[in-house]
Amino acid sequence: MPLMVFFGCTMIAFGPSLAMFILTIAKYPLRVILLVVGAFSWLLALLFSALLWLAVVPLKEQLAFSLVFSVIFQEAMRYGLFRMMKNAENGLDDALSEDEKKSISNHKLSYTTGFGFGLMYGLFSIVNVLSQSIGPGSVGIDGHSSNFMLISAFLTSSTILLHTFWNVIVFDALNKQQYYKVITVVCLHMLVSCCSLLNVQQNLAFVSVIVSYIVLIGTTVWAFKAAGGSVVNIKSCLNR
């Protein structure tokens, strides 16, 4: 049973991401490099959050405090990632071949770096849960939700996708100087993250999953439109 839980939660958490990686990134070396850049950016945000957590001793036990500043640092690093990519754009144009330029043209660059950003988040958020899922011990024995591991897996899956799509939206908004969209993304990130605080309460644990997937549906449509998608595109794709 523990192994079934382990593999089940792993596939829930990383199944969609694995499919996206194989279909859209793995065969493009430059995209793999950009994925690593995005992942490293999230690690920097984690480092800054950890340093603040160590510095503010009286609030070390307050999870909400750490969470709020973690979101702020992540969004700051997302902006830093955008600036870095913009500054490197001219150099990349001179160094890359036409095929390589096409592989990161339009919104492909923001999609790839955002995917790396979210994937690194997913690895850090679920790895401890998965390591405990193979035992020993029983989940929920102290009154917490008995579905904690399942909830964590679904939240990890949705948040990886959210970071990917938020990156597309933010990069597009910054290029067009539509800063209200950036603020909206930050607020949505804060909402989803704060709802995860409910996971420790048995009766409210599923609230975070519901909120996360409602936000994911809306964000998916928003990112699709930001990338130039339309109903006509969907129809033409299905008719091929």
Side-chain angles (χ1 to χ4, degrees), residues 78-198:
R78 197 190 308 277
Y79 175 74
L81 184 60
F82 169 79
R83 296 308 312 171
M84 184 177 67
M85 290 294 104
K86 288 294 288 184
N87 292 335
E89 210 167 58
N90 294 333
L92 288 173
D93 286 340
D94 297 333
L96 300 178
S97 66
E98 287 302 317
D99 288 340
E100 288 174 328
K101 290 178 185 177
K102 289 180 181 178
S103 71
I104 59 170
S105 61
N106 300 326
H107 296 279
K108 297 169 188 173
L109 186 148
S110 57
Y111 162 81
T112 306
T113 53
F115 183 78
F117 202 90
L119 188 61
M120 187 55 66
Y121 160 85
L123 289 171
F124 268 81
S125 67
I126 198 71
V127 65
N128 286 334
V129 176
L130 291 176
S131 67
Q132 295 299 318
S133 67
I134 57 177
S138 300
V139 179
I141 198 169
D142 289 327
H144 297 155
S145 174
S146 58
N147 296 311
F148 176 76
M149 291 178 182
L150 189 62
I151 291 170
S152 297
F154 275 109
L155 281 177
T156 298
S157 179
S158 67
T159 309
I160 293 173
L161 299 178
L162 281 170
H163 275 300
T164 304
F165 301 147
W166 282 336
N167 219 57
V168 173
I169 294 167
V170 168
F171 276 42
D172 179 69
L174 290 172
N175 277 321
K176 297 177 179 177
Q177 297 185 340
Q178 297 174 332
Y179 300 113
Y180 69 94
K181 293 183 178 179
V182 178
I183 295 172
T184 304
V185 168
V186 174
C187 292
L188 289 174
H189 190 178
M190 193 70 73
L191 172 65
V192 172
S193 297
C194 288
C195 284
S196 67
L197 294 172
L198 300 174

Side-chain angles (χ1 to χ4, degrees), residues 7-28:
F7 286 110
C9 289
T10 300
M11 293 310 299
I12 290 172
F14 296 109
S17 306
L18 179 62
M20 290 167 63
F21 176 78
I22 293 172
L23 293 174
T24 64
I25 295 177
K27 57 184 177 181
Y28 301 99

